[in-house]
């Protein structure tokens, strides 16, 4: 589906984070009685990143794909934090509201940082964890995102701003980018207030929020499904995470940072194999 169809299929709810009541948009599919897979995106994407993956699991799993606070169709006004610490709080409150006690987390980029915090602070609630080119330890922020967090972004010329987004999504893809992907990723940021929103999201990157994670407390089966050629989140960080938490690394060739988009079919296959090999209590079959 295109980004407009994805948006139309989303549900909206309210979460409370740091004393703020905030709207969260999320895509949901499958039977809520089945095991729940939660797909978490990063910066500067939104839940549409998972368009080619999450819906393919609806026949066997309950699928939840939220827009992080400040992203996509979730609340994006001023007056609240977008840090991964705040995003962890959003995940917790969203899952509580949906009545989901235990889940499998599938995460990319800063969504992975938020998911790691949740998995470490609530290990009994995360059975499995799939990490794809996520931020962890001191792997971030990256220069491009830091620059977007500068105050000048809010007043940037429209053409220059869209050029920055094209650089991120079109030139950041492996090979020729799918125009539907690029258009969909840009759409929320091209709305009124989008420049301000992306600058607020970008300035919220904070290495301390991943350096303080007690990684040893994570008790989930871990798969690092990682694009080998990503220069923004190098695979060495995935290997370190797998060593510290206990898990395996699967390298995906012919993919950069947008690994979910670059290798969609292979990503689905590897994810399904991992889900098949592991049970719902964090132990291998």
């Amino acid at each position: 589906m295109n980004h407009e169809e994805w948006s139309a299929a989303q549900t909206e709810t309210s979460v409370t984070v740091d004393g703020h009541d905030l709207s969260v948009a999320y895509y949901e599919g499958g039977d809520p009685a089945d095991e729940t897979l939660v797909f978490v995106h990063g910066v500067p994407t939104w839940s549409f990143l998972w368009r080619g993956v999450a819906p393919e699991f609806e026949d066997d799993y309950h699928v939840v794909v939220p827009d992080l606070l400040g992203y996509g169709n979730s609340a994006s006004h001023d007056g609240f934090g977008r840090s991964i610490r705040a995003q962890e709080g959003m995940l917790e409150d969203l899952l509580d509201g949906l009545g989901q006690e235990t889940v499998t987390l599938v995460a990319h980029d800063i969504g992975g940082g938020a998911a790691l915090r949740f998995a470490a602070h609530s290990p009994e609630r995360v059975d499995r964890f799939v990490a794809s080119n996520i931020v962890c330890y001191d792997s971030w922020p990256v220069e491009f995102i830091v620059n977007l967090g500068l105050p000048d972004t809010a007043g940037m010329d429209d053409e220059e701003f869209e050029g920055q987004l094209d650089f991120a999504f079109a030139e950041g893809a492996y090979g020729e980018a799918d125009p539907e992907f690029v258009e969909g990723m840009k759409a929320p940021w091209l709305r009124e207030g989008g420049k301000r929103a992306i600058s607020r999201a970008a300035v919220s990157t904070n290495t301390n929020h991943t350096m303080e994670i007690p990684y040893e407390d994570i008790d989930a089966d871990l798969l690092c499904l990682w694009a080998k050629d990503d220069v923004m989140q190098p695979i060495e960080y995935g290997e370190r995470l797998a060593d510290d938490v206990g898990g395996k690394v699967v390298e995906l060739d012919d993919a950069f940072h947008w690994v979910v988009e670059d290798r969609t079919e292979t990503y689905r296959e590897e994810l399904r194999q991992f889900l098949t090999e592991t049970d719902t209590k964090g132990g291998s079959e």
Side-chain angles (χ1 to χ4, degrees):
M1 63 183 82
N2 61 35
H3 71 90
E4 293 176 337
E5 293 167 333
W6 182 270
S7 292
Q10 286 182 305
T11 301
E12 186 176 308
T13 190
S14 179
V15 299
T16 301
V17 177
D18 296 336
H20 302 286
D21 293 329
L22 302 165
S23 64
V24 170
Y26 64 96
Y27 176 92
E28 185 175 23
D31 186 343
D34 289 336
E35 297 174 50
T36 298
L37 309 182
V38 182
F39 294 83
V40 194
H41 70 86
V43 61
T45 62
W46 57 297
S47 60
F48 185 63
L49 174 72
W50 299 103
R51 64 186 176 125
V53 175
E56 296 296 319
F57 289 83
E58 292 178 11
D59 288 346
D60 302 305
Y61 299 92
H62 176 222
V63 169
V64 177
V65 197
D67 288 337
L68 296 179
L69 295 173
Y71 296 76
N73 295 308
S74 290
S76 61
H77 56 273
D78 273 348
F80 64 91
R82 275 88 156 159
S83 70
I84 63 168
R85 183 199 54 76
Q87 306 294 358
E88 175 196 4
M90 181 277 289
L91 279 176
E92 182 175 16
D93 208 48
L94 175 65
L95 295 177
D96 286 348
L98 292 175
Q100 298 299 316
E101 295 184 3
T102 59
V103 299
T104 290
L105 297 174
V106 186
H108 180 259
D109 194 78
I110 68 163
L116 283 173
R117 291 179 63 93
F118 183 71
H121 296 147
S122 302
E124 74 286 353
R125 299 189 65 177
V126 182
D127 289 331
R128 294 172 287 199
F129 195 115
V130 180
S132 294
N133 299 76
I134 66 171
V135 302
C136 51
Y137 307 105
D138 59 352
S139 72
W140 67 311
V142 298
E143 184 177 5
F144 173 73
I145 297 300
V146 169
N147 289 340
L148 282 177
L150 298 175
D152 290 348
T153 297
M156 191 180 294
D157 173 82
D158 289 349
E159 185 175 348
E160 180 185 0
F161 179 64
E162 188 163 4
Q164 291 285 323
L165 297 178
D166 283 330
F167 170 77
F169 298 123
E171 297 182 38
Y174 189 94
E176 186 173 353
D178 181 351
E180 190 174 86
F181 166 73
V182 177
E183 180 184 0
M185 285 296 107
K186 294 192 302 183
W189 307 121
L190 296 180
R191 301 173 190 152
E192 183 177 355
K195 296 173 190 174
R196 182 201 64 226
I198 201 171
S199 69
R200 300 295 190 262
V203 80
S204 297
T205 54
N206 187 337
T207 310
N208 294 322
H209 290 171
T210 46
M211 287 302 295
E212 70 180 4
I213 294 173
Y215 290 91
E216 67 278 6
D217 290 345
I218 296 174
D219 192 34
D221 278 316
L222 173 69
L223 169 65
C224 291
L225 188 52
W226 215 277
K228 187 176 70 172
D229 298 322
D230 184 8
V231 297
M232 290 191 286
Q233 297 300 322
I235 196 167
E236 289 77 17
Y237 281 97
E239 293 168 343
R240 178 179 174 184
L241 183 64
D243 285 342
D244 286 352
V245 174
K248 65 178 181 178
V249 178
V250 173
E251 300 180 2
L252 295 183
D253 295 326
D254 301 331
F256 294 145
H257 189 61
W258 310 128
V259 58
V260 181
E261 177 67 18
D262 289 339
R263 297 294 305 277
T264 305
E265 184 176 350
T266 302
Y267 193 98
R268 291 196 304 256
E269 292 172 354
E270 293 290 348
L271 174 56
R272 190 172 294 280
Q273 180 177 331
F274 175 67
L275 294 174
T276 300
E277 291 174 348
T278 53
D279 66 15
T280 58
K281 297 181 180 180
S284 298
E285 292 183 335

